[in-house]
Amino acid sequence: MYFKSKFIADDVGLSPKEIGALMVKLRDSATDLTIEKWSYTSATTWRVETA
């Protein structure tokens, strides 16, 4: 799954920067997910998949 931080931020009432910080924490703690910054074109895109 791919998603842009700015769209998640709009849905949950956080800033895209806050979503990015949370994604880094999740990447470091979730052993059953692979989380990678994918692109910076007009917003950070994250790639998330099961490990």
Side-chain angles (χ1 to χ4, degrees):
M1 170 183 279
Y2 296 87
F3 68 89
K4 290 191 179 284
S5 293
K6 68 179 181 180
F7 298 134
I8 298 298
D10 290 343
D11 289 344
V12 298
L14 298 172
S15 72
K17 189 174 185 176
E18 290 171 310
I19 296 298
L22 290 171
M23 290 304 295
V24 170
K25 287 181 182 181
L26 184 60
R27 178 181 60 197
D28 294 343
S29 65
T31 58
D32 57 337
L33 295 175
T34 301
I35 300 171
E36 176 183 5
K37 279 187 181 179
W38 190 257
S39 171
Y40 294 98
T41 306
S42 76
T44 301
T45 300
W46 294 89
R47 182 177 66 88
V48 180
E49 66 181 356
T50 55

